[in-house]
Amino acid sequence: MSGELSLNINIKEPRWDQGTFMGRAKHFFMVTDPRNVLLSSETLEEARVIVENYRAGIAKPGLTEDELWRAKYIYDSAFHPDTGEKMFVIGRMSAQVPMNMSITGCMLTFYRTTPAVVFWQWVNQSFNAVVNYTNRSGDAPITVNQLGAAYVSATTGAVVTALGLKSLAKRLPPIVSRFVPFAAVAAANCINIPFMRQRELKYGIPVTDENGNRLGESANAAKQAIIQVVVSRIGMAVPAMAIPPVIMNALEKRAFMKRFPILNAPVQVGLVGLCLVFATPLCCALFPQKSSMSVTSLEIDLQERIQQSSPHTTTVYFNKGL
């Protein structure tokens, strides 16, 4: 019937061309939309049913293409791409802006004392640990012991880094001290993400051909994926942690802010939120979600298996995680 929705729409891939930065940016503006955090369990379940039924060749009567894509992006924002499991709410990318806005704003406001630095770095790295685990690549399970060891290593490394940088900043101008949280977060991301995803570095992540057929697991692909995620996360932090300190340094000299110092934290949080609304999706878009690498860059044994099972395959694809 002419009124029925076509079953040939490829919802396994994003709606926009992921070969271009603009296409990826449009995709991630949808995935990281903070409003998705407020969606009810019923709405998420309805989106899951629509998407999974459509993939099975069943279209809900009266469903339009726009409604299908809306369901697809609701589904993508809440369910893991490899396991299909519903993700912990604060670990979803749609929670990045409200969570990071609050935590980063407090880190930039309460940076003068050692207890405050330790507490907010611990809060931030605990949150990052949840995000890194929730958005890991692959479908292999991780034990509680592995998760606990990774969490302790990541948060301890981050806090020690922050304290070391704070100590160095004491001999520098006050404006430099404001950038200690950013430097600490950048350094901590380089520690936290590999620690929380160390199982991938040890055992590899699934790699597929262009049709999605699984070819094996590669640690080399995991290394590339983690490097890309680290770069994206540091990029997300740059505007939110570099711009507000400059603005706040100027505002705090004004009579109005001196008269109402209680406004310091909410103004800082608001500035951070404004930066994150744009930085989060744009930095997620720096690299394709479905990353690729040449077969010749894989481990030798995996190269040999692929040459035997799929001799015409020259490029493999993998979910880099977020």
Side-chain angles (χ1 to χ4, degrees), residues 1 29 35 79 87 100 105 122 145 173 182 206 232 267:
M1 292 176 63
F29 266 107
R35 294 173 297 180
F79 295 88
M87 296 184 286
N100 268 327
W122 170 74
N145 286 341
F182 166 66
S232 294
V267 170

Side-chain angles (χ1 to χ4, degrees), residues 2 52 91 135 216 292 305 320:
S2 60
E52 292 183 353
N135 293 281
S292 63
R305 294 205 305 272
K320 70 175 176 64

